[in-house]
Amino acid sequence: MRYISTRGEAPALGFEDVLLTGLATDGGLYVPESLPHFSLEEIRSWRGLPYAELAYKVMYPFVEDAIPADDFRKMLDETYSVFSHQAVAPLVQLDTNEWVMELFRGPTLAFKDFALQLLGRLLDYVLEKRNQHVVIMGATSGDTGSAAIEGCRRCEHVDIFILHPHQRVSEVQRRQMTTVQGDNIHNIAVKGNFDDCQRMVKESFGNQSFLGGKTQLAAVNSINWARIMAQIVYYFQASLALGGPDRSMAFSVPTGNFGDIFAGYLAKKMGLPISQLVIATNRNDILHRFMSGNKYEQHQLEHTLSPSMDIMVSSNFERLLFDLHGRDGAAVKTLLENAAKGPVSIEDYRWKHARKLFDSDAVDDKTTCDTIRDVYEQNEYLLDPHTAIGVRAARNCRRDSAVPMITLGTAHPAKFPDAIAETGLSVKPQLPAHMADLFEREERYTVLDNDVSEVQGFIAKHWKNA
């Protein structure tokens, strides 16, 4: 399988190169030249498979040119064996035909573990084969950083530099990143917001001269195709558990960078019956404003109780725009260049095509707290603020009560104790046993100005072969 850029000017690459490249040389994101498509009969035959085997069925077409089947199966078995639940992604019922899929049973208690535990193993495999070293540079709004560090910290051929917005992630999220020991692990707190961090990462991938030609950058953010690929699987898992593919499903996805919900869009294109995808956002609602009114316009980024979604520039939205524009890279490039200058819209027929599948909602902090409290009082089930936004958006946007509605539970509530306290509930979410001493561990991180040159200088100085 070959991969092409959403901006149409970079060369097509195989899986190994896409894994290591991240951002395309023309500034675009890589997507498969074509998608595998599974018949209903084939999907039906996967009922009852363990998660790792289902992951193999869904993902192997994307990597088969690069990784032998037995090696990939072994990676998947190792990846999902570290999750704390035998089902890996268990479903919890909230109401009639309403479910939460718990995607926080991995080592860092967030959905990012599904992809980043695998990404670390993929990098190790490819870099060992190539006898190559890379520098991982990533930006996090809270969860990607800890999942990337946990997934990649044992990789012998990488140095890891994770940027997070200073004092704009929860304390648990920060400590999950900054208490992991290792000479190859570097946490940078940037005096800015997540969009600033993400911009620095994109600029650095576009011009890697600060590394002096001695190594190259590799991406752990969802600009890396491998992240999206791994997230497709749990849509199939949820559907199969609730009677799919013989009945359609609806999903509500808390999202800031559009990666997790784009994976659901791909699952539908690959043959999984999905009738609705709900884009659930907080006050940073650029995706909701586009999907509800065909206007893509950046506003001032706001700090909320759901910090992992405090994002205004949704990188993966470019991948959807590429499809909406008939895979015309030049059109996407022009649109995004215009979006950097002011509000943009797309042709009405393209927007209406997107609206056939997507709905959206924006949920403020008060409604988030109300939802956490209501669900707990009804079910004694505690939602984190991001999942609560997903549940509220699902209830507000649901098209058909006969179709199962599944909200992706993206993080464990113990990661956001301050948000839970805001609800007025007396319950205090507890960290699991393997993190019980998190607040006693030594932290290590460096605070830097919101300046790409300063950040690049720090990386150039501190990677191990510098």
Side-chain angles (χ1 to χ4, degrees):
M1 181 176 289
R2 305 289 286 173
Y3 294 84
I4 58 175
S5 169
T6 52
R7 302 198 186 179
E9 296 175 357
L13 299 177
F15 178 77
E16 280 191 16
D17 290 318
V18 164
L19 176 72
L20 297 178
T21 300
L23 205 63
T25 53
D26 59 3
L29 281 67
Y30 279 107
V31 292
E33 206 163 36
S34 61
L35 287 171
H37 190 273
F38 306 116
S39 67
L40 295 182
E41 182 180 12
E42 187 172 8
I43 297 170
R44 196 178 298 118
S45 73
W46 298 342
R47 286 178 180 164
L49 288 180
Y51 191 91
E53 183 61 20
L54 176 64
Y56 172 80
K57 297 285 190 183
V58 173
M59 283 193 278
Y60 193 60
F62 295 112
V63 305
E64 61 184 343
D65 295 337
I67 305 173
D70 288 347
D71 290 347
F72 192 54
R73 271 199 167 98
K74 183 182 178 191
M75 274 185 231
L76 294 170
D77 287 341
E78 290 174 352
T79 293
Y80 299 113
S81 68
V82 302
F83 282 60
S84 65
H85 196 290
Q86 282 292 98
V88 182
L91 287 160
V92 173
Q93 189 167 9
L94 296 185
D95 203 341
T96 304
N97 250 359
E98 183 184 19
W99 308 78
V100 169
M101 190 175 203
E102 294 187 340
L103 301 179
F104 49 76
R105 298 302 192 115
T108 72
L109 314 183
F111 80 97
K112 309 292 178 75
D113 287 324
F114 278 83
L116 287 164
Q117 286 294 311
L118 176 60
L119 183 65
R121 290 169 171 86
L122 287 167
L123 285 170
D124 236 9
Y125 181 90
V126 170
L127 293 170
E128 178 69 29
K129 184 167 74 170
R130 293 185 170 201
N131 191 27
Q132 185 178 346
H133 181 279
V134 297
V135 169
I136 288 175
M137 184 181 182
T140 186
S141 55
D143 291 329
T144 292
S146 57
I149 289 169
E150 181 63 33
C152 302
R153 64 189 175 96
R154 297 180 185 85
C155 298
E156 296 181 6
H157 301 275
V158 304
D159 285 283
I160 308 169
F161 294 83
I162 299 295
L163 284 60
H164 73 267
H166 187 42
Q167 298 178 335
R168 292 198 175 193
V169 300
S170 79
E171 186 176 4
V172 172
Q173 288 177 311
R174 189 192 73 238
R175 286 179 174 274
Q176 281 186 294
M177 294 185 283
T178 61
T179 58
V180 180
Q181 303 300 310
D183 292 340
N184 67 331
I185 299 168
H186 304 273
N187 284 283
I188 300 172
V190 175
K191 295 177 183 176
N193 58 40
F194 171 77
D195 285 345
D196 295 321
C197 297
Q198 183 168 252
R199 173 181 48 77
M200 289 184 190
V201 171
K202 288 186 175 182
E203 283 187 28
S204 299
F205 271 85
N207 182 359
Q208 301 185 26
S209 59
F210 68 97
L211 295 171
K214 300 175 183 177
T215 186
Q216 72 172 71
L217 293 179
V220 291
N221 284 78
S222 51
I223 59 174
N224 192 315
W225 163 254
R227 282 275 306 273
I228 304 296
M229 173 184 80
Q231 292 167 341
I232 297 169
V233 179
Y234 42 70
Y235 288 90
F236 282 85
Q237 169 83 346
S239 174
L240 288 165
L242 296 177
D246 297 320
R247 61 195 304 211
S248 188
M249 301 289 152
F251 292 88
S252 179
V253 187
T255 189
N257 225 359
F258 205 75
D260 210 11
I261 197 163
F262 184 71
Y265 166 79
L266 293 178
K268 179 178 175 63
K269 292 192 71 175
M270 291 165 67
L272 188 67
I274 296 175
S275 60
Q276 183 185 17
L277 289 171
V278 179
I279 301 166
T281 71
N282 60 20
R283 290 200 313 273
N284 298 297
D285 61 349
I286 187 170
L287 293 171
H288 168 58
R289 285 184 282 110
F290 172 83
M291 202 54 66
S292 60
N294 192 14
K295 189 175 184 181
Y296 191 83
E297 180 182 19
Q298 295 179 29
H299 290 176
Q300 183 69 33
L301 195 71
E302 296 187 49
H303 187 44
T304 73
L305 292 176
S306 45
S308 298
M309 294 157 62
D310 288 348
I311 298 169
M312 193 58 69
V313 181
S314 300
S315 290
N316 284 288
F317 192 55
E318 179 170 338
R319 286 179 158 123
L320 178 65
L321 290 172
F322 185 57
D323 272 12
L324 292 177
H325 286 81
R327 312 204 110 196
D328 182 345
V332 171
K333 181 179 179 182
T334 299
L335 180 71
L336 293 172
E337 286 174 349
N338 290 336
K341 303 169 189 172
V344 296
S345 300
I346 64 175
E347 291 92 339
D348 193 57
Y349 75 93
R350 300 189 195 276
W351 177 72
K352 287 180 177 176
H353 180 71
R355 293 281 289 130
K356 290 178 181 178
L357 177 62
F358 291 99
D359 287 291
S360 64
D361 197 15
V363 180
D364 62 23
D365 281 351
K366 180 185 181 302
T367 310
T368 300
C369 289
D370 291 346
T371 305
I372 294 171
R373 187 173 54 254
D374 291 348
V375 169
Y376 187 78
E377 290 174 348
Q378 293 160 3
N379 299 298
E380 291 191 357
Y381 186 74
L382 193 61
L383 302 171
D384 92 287
H386 305 79
T387 308
I389 287 172
V391 169
R392 177 55 58 191
R395 293 175 175 179
N396 289 347
C397 297
R398 193 168 190 174
R399 297 178 183 178
D400 186 348
S401 61
V403 174
M405 173 61 79
I406 304 152
T407 295
L408 301 193
T410 53
H412 193 291
K415 300 187 81 162
F416 306 96
D418 293 344
I420 303 303
E422 288 271 339
T423 67
L425 290 170
S426 58
V427 63
K428 293 184 179 180
Q430 299 298 310
L431 288 165
H434 74 278
M435 285 188 191
D437 65 342
L438 181 66
F439 289 88
E440 300 164 20
R441 300 175 191 172
E442 179 187 355
E443 287 193 86
R444 293 191 314 162
Y445 63 99
T446 303
V447 180
L448 296 179
D449 287 333
N450 186 6
D451 182 289
V452 67
S453 298
E454 186 172 342
V455 171
Q456 289 178 346
F458 181 88
I459 294 172
K461 182 178 178 181
H462 288 92
W463 73 278
K464 62 188 174 188
N465 293 326

